[in-house]
Amino acid sequence: EGLFEPSGLAVRGEDIYVSQRSEISKYSFDEKSGQWIKSVVASGWETNDFHQISAGLPWEPGPTKDHPGFFYMSRGAGLGKNRNPPDHAAVWKIDLSKPNGENIEVLSGGHRTPNGLGLNTAGECFVIDNQGHWTPANEINHVQKGKFYGFYVRDNPPMAHPSPFQPKERDGETGVTPAAVQLPQDEIGNSPTEILLFPKGHEFEGQMAVGDMRYGGLNRVFLEEVNGVWQGCVMRFTQGLEAGPNRIFFGPDGSLYVGGIGGRHAGTWFWVNPKTRKPTYGGLERLTPTGEKVFEIDHMRATPDGFELHFTQPVAKMWLEDMYNYEFSQWTYKPTGHYGGPKIDFHELDVTEAVASEDRKSVKLSVMDLKEGYVVKVTTDPVSELGEALWSADIWYTLNRIPE
């Protein structure tokens, strides 16, 4: 008890770490007293706005065996009062080998509402962000030291401080690092939250799950590094949970645990019991795999002349190689000081060739007029060779780089 908006949790050995609004707390169990003893791992920053949650805490091992490692934590910008404390709208790295007051490294800036972080299979950190001013679409950013990701904060010390690494020129382009994956507003994202790696042995091992408080479900993200830049695609995973997923975690039994939060005041997802008419504004749900194989889009990779689309089950070769079974479109965004932003340069694309793989679980698609820096949406609706319909027919790929 007594925590202030606990928004991140990690268990390392026998200790429990919690990131809250004003500090990272460590709880260690004392055998003699039978009590949990609290100590402060990191603190000392200002907080003056309800958006300034402390999301985290993905852990990274240290450089040596004896090093306790690092935590990643994000701090939201000051939005409600148009005030931003120093080093906010940022991602921080916490060195657990150093004492409180000396262990915070500011990695990146320009994050509007970074309500979730996660590490991919390569150990690279990614942070979510919500649509808003200077952020025309929801996005997932690859955290890189010294980079700025687009959300400008008022520069008027001592009341308001710019985001770390914020350029003086505000045009949405100069000095801005593009998102790794964009989640178009009201299509595949609205209030994305935590990013979580699917564990080893899972059907989607290596991909990442992303919660969404507004849509009441989870999406899947596939990431790949192309010409030194991370990019990838997002697909639906599950919908219709009882409360908006804010924190997600895989348990040792392989189940996915979902912590939901929300309410009418926040415009987030909630379920209304049809019998009692009572809403569910929060709770903990467990999603347990049944072991049944389902027919879905597994992922999509970029190729020099288009994409390679993968399914979880075989599809008839004749169907896969029919170019008219795929609808492609692409667009980009122009960040401005307005809330959100429309699609820019939207147009449909033509598939010129489709070549199925031998196992009929993937198809190489040649696509005309692809542009770097654009979102590419694909809609396709095959039936598997077992006669199963596809669960979700859409996929969104952020094409930062076309492979050479």
Side-chain angles (χ1 to χ4, degrees):
E1 61 183 2
L3 297 174
F4 187 5
E5 292 183 357
S7 299
L9 183 75
V11 178
R12 300 302 309 163
E14 299 298 321
D15 299 323
I16 301 173
Y17 295 82
V18 180
S19 59
Q20 51 176 319
R21 177 85 80 86
S22 55
E23 67 179 46
I24 299 178
S25 311
K26 176 182 176 181
Y27 292 87
S28 303
F29 189 74
D30 181 67
E31 295 287 350
K32 291 184 179 180
S33 65
Q35 301 292 321
W36 287 92
I37 307 301
K38 174 191 169 184
S39 59
V40 178
V41 175
S43 65
W45 55 85
E46 297 178 33
T47 177
N48 62 10
D49 188 281
F50 76 94
H51 291 89
Q52 291 165 1
I53 63 172
S54 300
L57 295 163
W59 177 81
E60 176 185 284
T64 64
K65 184 178 179 180
D66 297 329
H67 194 290
F70 306 88
F71 281 136
Y72 289 91
M73 187 181 81
S74 60
R75 290 286 293 171
L79 300 179
K81 297 180 181 179
N82 197 26
R83 295 172 59 192
N84 196 53
D87 296 328
H88 279 54
V91 173
W92 299 348
K93 191 174 185 179
I94 315 299
D95 189 337
L96 296 177
S97 70
K98 296 181 179 180
N100 180 25
E102 303 175 11
N103 56 359
I104 297 176
E105 179 185 10
V106 179
L107 290 182
S108 59
H111 306 290
R112 179 181 179 270
T113 313
N115 187 25
L117 301 95
L119 305 181
N120 71 351
T121 53
E124 296 291 324
C125 182
F126 291 82
V127 61
I128 206 83
D129 211 346
N130 282 210
Q131 183 207 45
H133 305 286
W134 297 107
T135 314
N138 306 288
E139 56 189 40
I140 300 173
N141 293 303
H142 174 215
V143 177
Q144 302 172 71
K145 187 175 180 179
K147 298 295 186 180
F148 177 78
Y149 291 86
F151 182 69
Y152 303 94
V153 182
R154 184 184 176 195
D155 185 358
N156 186 28
M159 299 300 293
H161 296 263
S163 176
F165 316 111
Q166 178 173 308
K168 292 183 178 180
E169 185 174 358
R170 293 191 181 195
D171 59 7
E173 298 177 356
T174 303
V176 176
T177 300
V181 178
Q182 293 186 314
L183 291 73
Q185 179 81 351
D186 298 331
E187 289 186 38
I188 191 60
N190 188 292
S191 293
T193 57
E194 190 165 28
I195 314 172
L196 178 66
L197 192 65
F198 283 95
K200 291 183 178 180
H202 194 280
E203 181 176 4
F204 299 116
E205 176 183 341
Q207 297 185 26
M208 302 181 86
V210 180
D212 197 294
M213 286 201 301
R214 182 65 182 90
Y215 279 172
L218 304 170
N219 295 321
R220 281 189 293 117
V221 173
F222 169 80
L223 293 164
E224 62 176 342
E225 192 174 16
V226 177
N227 302 342
V229 175
W230 285 96
Q231 59 188 40
C233 57
V234 57
M235 303 144 282
R236 299 182 183 94
F237 181 59
T238 189
Q239 293 294 132
L241 300 176
E242 292 195 24
N246 188 41
R247 295 293 176 257
I248 54 180
F249 191 82
F250 279 104
D253 61 349
S255 297
L256 180 60
Y257 293 82
V258 180
I261 191 171
R264 296 179 190 274
H265 69 284
T268 54
W269 176 266
F270 59 90
W271 178 72
V272 177
N273 188 308
K275 295 182 179 180
T276 65
R277 304 308 301 168
K278 291 184 177 180
T280 301
Y281 291 140
L284 183 67
E285 294 183 78
R286 178 176 61 195
L287 308 179
T288 303
T290 64
E292 295 181 30
K293 295 291 184 180
V294 297
F295 182 43
E296 293 190 88
I297 296 174
D298 188 275
H299 67 280
M300 188 167 75
R301 291 182 178 273
T303 64
D305 64 346
F307 295 95
E308 189 174 81
L309 185 58
H310 292 253
F311 300 95
T312 59
Q313 294 183 18
V315 178
K317 184 174 185 292
M318 182 178 297
W319 196 99
L320 288 174
E321 295 188 339
D322 186 341
M323 297 179 296
Y324 296 100
N325 286 330
Y326 310 93
E327 296 180 8
F328 273 78
S329 59
Q330 74 175 357
W331 65 87
T332 190
Y333 295 98
K334 171 65 177 177
T336 70
H338 298 290
Y339 190 97
K343 297 176 180 179
I344 303 296
D345 194 24
F346 176 91
H347 54 277
E348 297 179 350
L349 302 172
D350 293 325
V351 178
T352 58
E353 186 179 33
V355 180
S357 62
E358 290 187 9
D359 64 2
R360 303 175 309 287
K361 292 177 68 176
S362 65
V363 57
K364 289 185 177 180
L365 302 169
S366 298
V367 184
M368 293 181 61
D369 301 322
L370 288 169
K371 297 181 181 180
E372 293 185 340
Y374 278 58
V375 177
V376 179
K377 181 182 179 182
V378 185
T379 299
T380 185
D381 197 14
V383 174
S384 74
E385 289 189 338
L386 298 177
E388 295 184 53
L390 198 65
W391 277 65
S392 181
D394 303 311
I395 185 168
W396 293 259
Y397 191 102
T398 301
L399 190 65
N400 289 321
R401 297 288 186 273
I402 297 175
E404 298 176 353

